[in-house]
């Protein structure tokens, strides 16, 4: 077994309740034993036994090391794009005109159904490589543009294959309850019946790690969403929810009752919703890319989330309609500039709290016993990761102990 020692670095460990902001260790050493971290601390406290057992010693060249980044909310697998609609709108077309011409989410569903698994793998692979180029080591990928068994299966299987093809951990989420496909127009309850039939089959095929829904006046009601949660719970699957993005539908309270890992978006979250999330231990996943792209003006209630101690994660929401985004670092900046998170909250949101939003306890922090997923950055201090608009501070990513 290889034992690797990394020195000549500082480490933002992101350890909870650390004395230093970011759990920062100025002159740090990291010991990697196989695919896990065996020791993390100040270099001058490194136990001699690790140097004795060391097979590879690495000079990090003064880099800052953080945990591998975690993008905990993406819709990475879809056909086509919506650049044409973006352009039409900026040339004066209304949403209604575009929707009547088969645009919006329906156009992505059509393009996704028409695409082969190989096409989807190629396009999602391009987006995934962009995320990985900024140090992402774990990514969640939702279905939700197939909306029929064969196509939901195709998208989830593509997500699984991406996790085998690339040195990144992929977590899949079944989002059958994302939108009502045209063949069920006006029959939302019948479509929910169809979703309830898809879920056990996809789960039996090993394609589902969690279950999500879109609880909103333009999508599924709280009662319809609850039927999906009941089915998930019966299979022992954790749930999460797109909640209070465009209005307050009480989705957060509903999700909390089912012990949701996370509630996502939350611009319209109420005090009752925040309280329910705090009691359930649900993470608030903030998605500044969608807020920006839709030119929303209602901010998620950050002070309320802080007041109730709800952990906040930050993610790209990478999708063709509301956040065509493949840069998690830009989301750090937007979480700070638009939502007024501190840089420390933002970085916690793509590491420790993003891991919690996926129910993962073995990553998101640099600590002995956890996965050796970490990133070397060409920056002096952690705040630079949130400060930069573009730029390329990424030097190297280590995934399960290996350079990638
Ligand atoms: N919320 C969103 O903003 C996206 N999905 C969701 O649940 C919209 C997806 C799209 O327009 O393609
Ligand atoms: Fe989303």
């Amino acid at each position: 077994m290889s034992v690797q020692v990394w020195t000549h670095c500082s480490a933002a460990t992101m350890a909870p309740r650390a004395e230093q902001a970011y759990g920062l260790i100025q002159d740090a050493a990291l010991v990697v034993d196989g695919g896990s971290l065996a020791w993390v601390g100040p270099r001058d406290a490194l136990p001699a036994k690790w140097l004795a057992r060391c097979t590879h010693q690495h000079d990090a060249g003064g880099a800052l090391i953080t945990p591998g980044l975690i993008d905990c909310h993406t819709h990475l697998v879809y056909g086509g794009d919506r650049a044409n609609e973006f352009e039409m709108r900026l040339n004066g077309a209304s949403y209604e005109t575009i929707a009547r011409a088969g645009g919006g989410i329906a156009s992505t569903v059509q393009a996704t159904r028409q695409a082969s698994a190989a096409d989807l793998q190629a396009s999602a692979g391009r987006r995934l490589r962009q995320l990985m180029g900024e140090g992402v080591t774990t990514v969640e990928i939702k279905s939700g543009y197939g909306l029929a068994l064969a196509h939901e299966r195709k998208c989830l299987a593509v997500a699984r294959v991406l996790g085998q093809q690339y040195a990144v951990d992929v977590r899949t989420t079944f989002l059958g309850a994302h939108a009502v496909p045209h063949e069920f127009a006006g029959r939302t309850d019948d479509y929910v019946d169809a979703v309830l039939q898809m879920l056990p089959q996809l789960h039996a095929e090993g394609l589902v790690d969690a279950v999500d829904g879109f609880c909103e006046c333009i999508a599924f009601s709280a009662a319809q969403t609850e039927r999906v949660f009941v089915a998930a719970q019966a299979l022992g699957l954790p749930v999460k929810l797109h909640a209070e993005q465009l209005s307050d539908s009480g989705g957060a309270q509903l999700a909390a009752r089912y012990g949701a890992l996370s509630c996502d978006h939350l611009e319209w979250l109420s005090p009752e919703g925040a309280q329910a999330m705090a009691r359930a231990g649900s993470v608030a996943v903030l998605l500044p890319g969608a807020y920006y792209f839709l030119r929303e003006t209602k901010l998620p209630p950050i002070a309320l989330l802080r007041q109730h101690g709800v952990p906040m994660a930050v993610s790209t929401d990478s999708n063709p309609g509301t956040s065509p985004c493949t840069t998690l670092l830009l989301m750090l900046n937007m979480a700070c500039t638009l939502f007024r998170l501190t840089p420390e909250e933002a970085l916690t949101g793509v590491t420790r709290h993003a891991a919690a939003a996926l129910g993962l306890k073995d990553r998101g922090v640099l600590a002995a016993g956890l996965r050796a997923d970490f990133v070397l950055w060409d920056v002096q201090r952690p705040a630079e990761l949130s400060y930069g608009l573009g730029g390329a501070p990424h030097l190297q990513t280590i995934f399960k102990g290996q350079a990638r």
Side-chain angles (χ1 to χ4, degrees):
M1 209 42 146
S2 79
V3 172
Q4 307 178 59
V5 175
W6 290 80
T7 53
H8 193 193
C9 57
S10 56
T13 65
M14 309 314 289
R17 296 171 298 277
E19 259 171 47
Q20 301 297 322
Y22 304 92
L24 191 67
I25 301 169
Q26 281 301 347
D27 182 9
L30 280 75
V31 179
V32 178
D33 190 355
S36 302
L37 290 165
W39 191 87
V40 178
R43 187 177 53 90
D44 58 13
L46 176 65
K49 70 163 183 180
W50 289 118
L51 282 174
R53 291 181 51 194
C54 174
T55 53
H56 301 85
Q57 195 157 357
H58 302 272
D59 180 336
L64 171 74
I65 297 185
T66 69
L69 303 191
I70 299 171
D71 195 352
C72 67
H73 178 142
T74 86
H75 310 246
L76 220 55
V77 177
Y78 57 83
D81 65 67
R82 307 241 284 274
N84 56 335
E85 294 175 20
F86 182 70
E87 186 162 36
M88 280 164 73
R89 275 198 286 127
L90 287 163
N91 280 307
S94 71
Y95 275 105
E96 212 188 326
T97 324
I98 293 170
R100 267 207 303 272
I105 201 164
S107 69
T108 300
V109 172
Q110 195 190 5
T112 304
R113 288 178 174 183
Q114 280 168 359
S116 68
D119 293 339
L120 292 172
Q121 208 172 308
S123 62
R126 277 194 295 278
R127 295 187 274 270
L128 181 58
R129 287 196 298 274
Q130 288 168 10
L131 292 173
M132 290 172 67
E134 286 186 344
V136 169
T137 51
T138 299
V139 61
E140 184 252 20
I141 300 180
K142 302 176 195 294
S143 67
Y145 288 115
L147 308 184
L149 179 63
H151 297 293
E152 289 288 294
R153 176 190 284 132
K154 176 177 69 177
C155 294
L156 290 167
V158 163
R160 279 276 185 260
V161 172
L162 289 170
Q164 289 150 12
Q165 193 184 357
Y166 293 97
V168 67
D169 202 17
V170 171
R171 309 292 299 177
T172 60
T173 300
F174 173 61
L175 179 55
H178 187 199
V180 180
H182 69 85
E183 63 274 18
F184 282 93
R187 295 188 296 127
T188 304
D189 284 314
D190 293 347
Y191 179 62
V192 175
D193 291 342
V195 168
L196 299 189
Q197 282 174 7
M198 292 180 220
L199 176 57
Q201 297 193 52
L202 297 170
H203 175 54
E205 292 168 29
L207 293 172
V208 182
D209 297 326
V211 175
D212 195 350
F214 189 20
C215 185
E216 194 60 64
C217 38
I218 57 163
F220 299 90
S221 68
Q224 288 160 341
T225 303
E226 182 159 15
R227 293 181 62 205
V228 178
F229 283 177
V230 169
Q233 198 173 50
L235 296 170
L237 286 168
V239 302
K240 37 185 53 241
L241 189 64
H242 285 71
E244 343 297 20
Q245 180 185 6
L246 308 170
S247 63
D248 178 13
S249 340
Q253 291 94 311
L254 167 67
R257 277 201 278 121
Y258 286 83
L261 291 174
S262 70
C263 298
D264 305 37
H265 286 289
L266 298 176
E267 278 79 352
W268 293 81
L269 180 70
S270 66
E272 295 73 29
Q275 257 163 29
M277 287 178 66
R279 274 197 300 272
S282 305
V283 175
V285 178
L286 305 173
L287 304 167
Y291 174 90
Y292 163 81
F293 199 78
L294 294 175
R295 307 181 77 231
E296 296 285 354
T297 51
K298 177 127 174 105
L299 287 163
I302 304 300
L304 188 64
L305 293 167
R306 285 187 185 128
Q307 180 196 327
H308 290 288
V310 178
M312 294 181 283
V314 173
S315 170
T316 59
D317 195 16
S318 188
N319 80 73
T322 63
S323 190
C325 168
T326 50
T327 161
L328 191 54
L329 287 184
L330 182 60
M331 297 305 101
L332 291 184
N333 180 273
M334 286 192 181
C336 296
T337 53
L338 299 174
F339 295 171
R340 311 310 289 166
L341 262 59
T342 66
E344 186 180 5
E345 286 173 326
L347 191 59
T348 308
V350 295
T351 53
R352 190 172 84 237
H353 290 165
L358 297 176
L360 300 172
K361 297 186 186 349
D362 61 349
R363 66 196 78 181
V365 172
L366 299 174
L370 303 194
R371 281 166 65 111
D373 292 351
F374 55 88
V375 189
L376 279 66
W377 304 97
D378 184 16
V379 300
Q380 295 296 309
R381 54 185 65 76
E384 286 177 58
L385 298 174
S386 294
Y387 163 76
L389 279 169
H394 174 267
L395 292 171
Q396 193 180 7
T397 299
I398 307 298
F399 178 71
K400 288 201 273 185
Q402 300 300 316
R404 70 172 194 201

